Amino acid sequence: MTGENPISRGRRRFLVGTATLGAAGVAGCTDLFGGNGSEENNSSGNESEIGQIGSGREGRGDPGGTLMEEMPPLEGELTVYSGRGEFLVGDLVQYIEDLYDGFSLDVRYGNSTDLVNQIITEGSGTPADVFYSVNAGSLGALADEGRTQALPNDLLELVRGEFRAESWIGTSGRARTVPYNTEALSADDMSDSIDDYSGGFGGSLGWAPSYGSCQAFVTAMRLLRGEEATRQWLEGVVEAGISDYPDEFAVCQAIAAGEIDAGFTNHYYIQRVLDGSPDAPIETSFTKGDAGAIFNVAGATVTDAASNAELGANFIRHLLSAEAQDYFARTTFEYPLIPDVEPVGDLPTIDELNPPSELDLTQLSDLEPTINLMRDVGIDV
């Protein structure tokens, strides 16, 4: 259309383009609840006709929320240390950079925990202006070292209070779930208590105990229930013969294939299986108020060494735009964190989920005691 705003034209192209990203079929890797931040940058080598990254769903209209064109323009140079993998967010950050002629991004990808340590080691000379993390634990770890600075209140107010702190904000979320095979089990067979899946559950189970998201789930149980109760739960699933898989996408594939009846995974792996095979016999169930129901976030912060803190905050603001939030919903099947964009799939809203209210997400980075406990029980991690 003659005279149309070029950003508006680009926005529509971007929204359409996200629907095709999933054809790559990368296996084994998105984030996760993991405190170690390693999963987004690794591949399990697990090949399947079902792509690891979602290709989006048809029939979604334009998202609500604030468009990038309505946000403060980005101008200058910005260095981002990203614990989120390039294959997941590379197209998004490139799109943001391309919107503005006077804006230049230098994105350095890596493991979230490694990047935290790198920023700490580099001290005041770190080139990192923004740290984009796979999980809240790494954001909290950097904040605890005094290496972040406060974000503007109008930015923080874009998401719910539990998904932000003074110096960091969540940008997308993941719900912990118990997927199950609908040919082996019914919804009535699934419990809303994680305790019922240890020992006495009437079906076969699978998990990925070396995966950071699974280890963070066990960490949550340890923080909420104590080490002894967690040990008993772990002993129960081990004695019942739980099957190990290299990653949580593989767990969901095994459920859909009928290898196992149920498992423990993040919610988006089920959606990715269904995106590739809409008739696959797999559905999602949720526990309530316990470690099986944790909801974690990827997020970002401006470092204390940022040369232009306002530019860093406005870049983060773009990650909470209508376009970016719809990108996360369509492309990675994560939960958008602004209320005007809905998740993809037959999922409860964030308001309908029941995560444990007393859990501090930043504590999920405390993995060492969890790994020691799992090994002590005889789990190969």
Side-chain angles (χ1 to χ4, degrees):
M1 181 181 298
T2 303
E4 182 183 16
N5 186 317
I7 295 180
S8 295
R9 291 199 305 270
R11 170 179 168 270
R12 282 204 291 274
R13 286 195 299 269
F14 180 67
L15 292 174
V16 172
T18 60
T20 64
L21 184 62
V26 180
C29 67
T30 131
D31 135 281
L32 317 268
F33 284 93
N36 61 11
S38 64
E39 298 173 16
E40 288 203 347
N41 302 298
N42 291 338
S43 172
S44 68
N46 179 25
E47 296 182 358
S48 169
E49 293 180 359
I50 301 172
Q52 170 69 1
I53 302 305
S55 58
R57 297 285 177 137
E58 299 296 331
R60 283 171 67 91
D62 283 355
T66 303
L67 300 175
M68 290 185 190
E69 66 186 55
E70 298 169 359
M71 293 183 166
L74 304 179
E75 184 173 358
E77 298 180 356
L78 196 71
T79 298
V80 177
Y81 282 15
S82 177
R84 302 220 63 187
E86 183 174 7
F87 79 94
L88 279 181
V89 301
D91 282 0
L92 174 61
V93 296
Q94 185 64 57
Y95 173 79
I96 295 172
E97 181 179 17
D98 290 346
L99 279 179
Y100 304 101
D101 291 339
F103 179 54
S104 176
L105 263 179
D106 177 12
V107 185
R108 307 182 186 185
Y109 295 96
N111 173 298
S112 284
T113 300
D114 290 347
L115 291 174
V116 169
N117 292 333
Q118 184 173 339
I119 292 170
I120 292 170
T121 300
E122 290 170 341
S124 61
T126 181
D129 299 302
V130 170
F131 172 50
Y132 186 16
S133 174
V134 74
N135 55 62
S138 293
L139 292 165
L142 193 63
D144 288 344
E145 292 291 330
R147 299 305 313 278
T148 61
Q149 53 184 296
L151 295 174
N153 287 333
D154 66 327
L155 171 57
L156 293 175
E157 290 169 357
L158 293 176
V159 307
R160 295 160 55 129
E162 62 265 42
F163 305 142
R164 55 180 164 87
E166 181 183 15
S167 65
W168 62 264
I169 188 167
T171 54
S172 57
R174 300 104 168 141
R176 201 71 188 154
T177 64
V178 187
Y180 64 97
N181 183 291
T182 57
E183 294 176 349
L185 299 167
S186 70
D188 291 340
D189 295 318
M190 308 308 291
S191 174
D192 62 7
S193 171
I194 198 66
D195 289 340
D196 291 336
Y197 293 99
S198 176
F201 179 63
S204 56
L205 290 168
W207 65 350
S210 61
Y211 219 38
S213 54
C214 184
Q215 292 171 7
F217 150 59
V218 178
T219 298
M221 186 180 298
R222 181 176 58 80
L223 294 171
L224 292 167
R225 302 278 304 277
E227 183 168 321
E228 186 54 37
T230 304
R231 178 188 298 274
Q232 292 175 9
W233 188 91
L234 291 170
E235 288 173 344
V237 295
V238 169
E239 290 172 3
I242 192 168
S243 298
D244 292 355
Y245 291 88
D247 57 64
E248 293 188 347
F249 184 57
V251 174
C252 288
Q253 288 178 304
I255 293 169
E259 284 181 25
I260 51 176
D261 298 327
F264 306 115
T265 75
N266 289 341
H267 81 276
Y268 42 67
Y269 294 110
I270 301 107
Q271 298 307 315
R272 291 172 189 172
V273 168
L274 290 171
D275 188 65
S277 299
D279 296 325
I282 185 171
E283 288 190 6
T284 309
S285 67
F286 298 84
T287 63
K288 295 181 179 180
D290 56 30
I294 55 177
F295 186 96
N296 205 348
V297 296
T301 183
V302 176
T303 73
D304 64 326
S307 58
N308 188 337
E310 182 179 7
L311 178 61
N314 284 332
F315 171 76
I316 295 172
R317 193 185 305 271
H318 278 62
L319 297 177
L320 289 160
S321 66
E323 297 97 320
Q325 291 292 288
D326 193 60
Y327 174 94
F328 293 129
R330 288 177 182 264
T331 306
T332 63
F333 292 123
E334 294 173 282
Y335 270 90
L337 292 190
I338 64 171
D340 303 298
V341 181
E342 297 181 352
V344 167
D346 185 16
L347 296 169
T349 66
I350 291 178
D351 287 334
E352 293 169 331
L353 295 172
N354 293 275
S357 59
E358 65 272 31
L359 181 67
D360 179 354
L361 293 177
T362 63
Q363 295 180 338
L364 295 181
S365 61
D366 185 23
L367 286 177
E368 185 175 359
T370 298
I371 293 172
N372 290 338
L373 176 59
M374 294 174 76
R375 287 174 175 164
D376 191 44
V377 172
I379 299 167
D380 185 15
V381 294

